[in-house]
Amino acid sequence: MLEPIRFLLPGPSYVPEDVRQALARPLIGHRSAAFKELYARVGARLPAVLRTRGEALVATASSTLVMEAAIASCVESQVLHLVNGAFAERWHQISVALGKSPDRLEAPMGEALDPDLVRRALRRKRYEAVALVHNETSAGVMNPLPEIARAVREESDALLLVDTVSSLGGVPVETDAWGLDVVLAGTQKALALPPGLTVFTLSGRAAERAAGVARRGFYTDLLRYLAKHREGGTITTPAVSLFYALDLQLDRILAEGMEARWARHQRLQARTAAWAEENGFAFAPAPGARSWTVSCLRPPDGMAAPEIVQRLGERGYVVGGGYGDWKSTTFRIGHMGEVRESDLEALLAALAEVVVACTAS
Ligand SMILES: Cc1ncc(COP(=O)(O)O)c(C=O)c1O
């Protein structure tokens, strides 16, 4: 039985009590037989979450490191960044910082990326890779990843590097079926684990290309992760305690089933949308672009988003404020990870109270 969830940030998300307790287990050496067994158990089940018949790897790092590693390992120079929010912006900055020659194809914050524009960009120029964020946590926007992936596959031989940080575990991500080359996700969002680990895939063709890329770094060399993985371990001292947590949480995720998990997240989004409509709250993202894991809402006129966040806090509920340019005008509900309908209903009831309090003041 899970405790009631009142922590609905768009990451980090609520972590179940048994998983939190797993963190307190005594440590084991990371070259011990016990860790090898733990690592193998994790490695055997992670591909089902990432929907690949290939290998699924784990870095002791937050997602940004693996975003950097994907560029450092897979791109010599030419990469196209699809940008419609803060994290895609960050990925572009990473390519600049690494001395690559990145181009950008943008959509305004709140709108989804257009697969046809991607197609046209790929007809104009050859790229080694296309990098995009599946679910822009900053804006609550979900990009049409299958359609974009199809466009990239049909128009080019560019590798597809995909940040699924706030979608993996809550939204369909079909690594093999959609032909994705690097899929990465920090564990602190829809996987409902503490921050500190990032899970990722590296396709066979991405590994082949990486072999031809000079100066992949050390901690950012994905081929080094792959080689160590095949020996049954990690490239550096891993966050062993977080592996205990991952091991346990994988049981929960796979017992629920990926399809059931996705459907639950979709229901949470639909319920939030219905409540918003009844109560005069508008979605900041365009209708076809709304995320299943993060709802980014604008309150009705006369109500300030930061005040809503604060008043929910006074009632014991944690939600996210707006991000970047939308900081003062929106707030974000992270209905991801282990959040159930009953948790969302309780939050929405508290939100209704907050609306009354804001209107009265
Ligand atoms: C979509 C997305 N990408 C990347 C990141 C960066 O993750 P981290 O802070 O774990 O490096 C975040 C963090 O919220 C995110 O939401």
Side-chain angles (χ1 to χ4, degrees):
M1 267 297 279
L2 290 184
E3 52 208 332
I5 300 175
R6 294 167 159 236
F7 186 71
L8 289 98
L9 270 187
S13 63
Y14 164 85
V15 176
E17 196 176 0
D18 56 351
V19 176
R20 299 197 306 268
Q21 280 167 356
L23 298 171
R25 282 188 211 147
L27 285 168
I28 51 176
H30 64 289
R31 303 289 177 221
S32 66
F35 184 78
K36 273 202 162 180
E37 253 173 55
L38 168 62
Y39 188 83
R41 264 200 317 277
V42 165
R45 287 170 301 152
L46 254 190
V49 174
L50 285 148
R51 309 284 275 200
T52 178
R53 286 178 303 282
E55 289 143 312
L57 311 177
V58 185
T60 288
S62 88
S63 320
T64 305
L65 187 277
V66 182
M67 292 161 80
E68 181 154 343
I71 301 295
S73 299
C74 300
V75 177
E76 192 64 60
S77 166
Q78 305 295 321
V79 51
L80 177 65
H81 283 273
L82 311 183
V83 180
N84 63 337
F87 293 105
E89 188 70 56
R90 177 182 296 184
W91 217 353
H92 177 262
Q93 279 173 16
I94 287 171
S95 286
V96 172
L98 287 170
K100 310 296 178 189
S101 301
D103 285 344
R104 302 159 64 97
L105 178 68
E106 298 185 41
M109 190 160 169
E111 286 179 26
L113 300 163
D114 180 345
D116 284 336
L117 295 182
V118 176
R119 214 174 261 287
R120 276 187 242 164
L122 293 171
R123 284 179 192 163
R124 285 194 297 271
K125 184 166 168 184
R126 184 171 178 272
Y127 292 97
E128 297 162 71
V130 174
L132 75 147
V133 174
H134 183 197
N135 191 77
E136 250 304 344
T137 324
S138 57
V141 165
M142 194 157 85
N143 285 307
L145 180 55
E147 290 79 6
I148 293 171
R150 192 176 323 123
V152 174
R153 286 277 80 84
E154 286 173 5
E155 298 295 336
S156 76
D157 65 351
L159 297 175
L160 264 157
L161 314 179
V162 190
D163 165 335
T164 62
V165 174
S166 57
S167 55
L168 187 73
V171 175
V173 174
E174 296 284 4
T175 299
D176 287 357
W178 298 345
L180 313 178
D181 293 292
V182 174
V183 171
L184 67 100
T187 49
Q188 75 276 20
K189 307 263 186 189
L191 298 175
L193 281 157
L197 295 180
T198 297
V199 299
F200 63 99
T201 64
L202 182 68
S203 69
R205 62 182 210 131
E208 273 169 34
R209 300 265 194 100
V213 173
R215 286 191 289 281
R216 298 186 298 270
F218 189 98
Y219 210 7
T220 52
D221 182 359
L222 296 184
L223 291 183
R224 204 176 279 278
Y225 287 79
L226 187 62
K228 276 291 180 190
H229 172 80
R230 288 179 177 168
E231 289 169 21
T234 55
I235 65 166
T236 58
T237 313
V240 173
S241 312
L242 292 173
F243 272 83
Y244 296 149
L246 175 57
D247 186 29
L248 190 61
Q249 181 62 1
L250 279 173
D251 285 344
R252 179 177 275 113
I253 292 172
L254 295 173
E256 181 176 13
M258 296 311 291
E259 284 81 359
R261 207 169 167 86
W262 301 332
R264 173 167 57 80
H265 282 80
Q266 191 177 23
R267 287 196 304 276
L268 294 171
Q269 193 283 331
R271 173 63 187 128
T272 307
W275 185 93
E277 187 162 350
E278 278 162 28
N279 290 275
F281 284 64
F283 268 81
R290 293 171 189 168
S291 161
W292 291 5
T293 55
V294 184
S295 285
C296 183
L297 299 175
R298 285 188 211 285
D301 285 346
M303 267 180 235
E307 188 184 347
I308 289 177
V309 175
Q310 188 201 320
R311 286 183 185 262
L312 279 173
E314 288 160 7
R315 286 163 175 76
Y317 285 90
V318 181
V319 299
Y323 201 101
D325 291 348
W326 288 3
K327 199 172 181 58
S328 60
T329 54
T330 67
F331 67 101
R332 294 171 301 155
I333 302 174
H335 35 70
M336 60 170 74
E338 296 309 319
V339 173
R340 296 149 300 192
E341 274 102 334
S342 56
D343 303 310
L344 182 65
E345 287 308 329
L347 171 77
L348 295 175
L351 193 49
E353 277 178 34
V354 166
V355 170
V356 173
C358 286
T359 316
S361 65

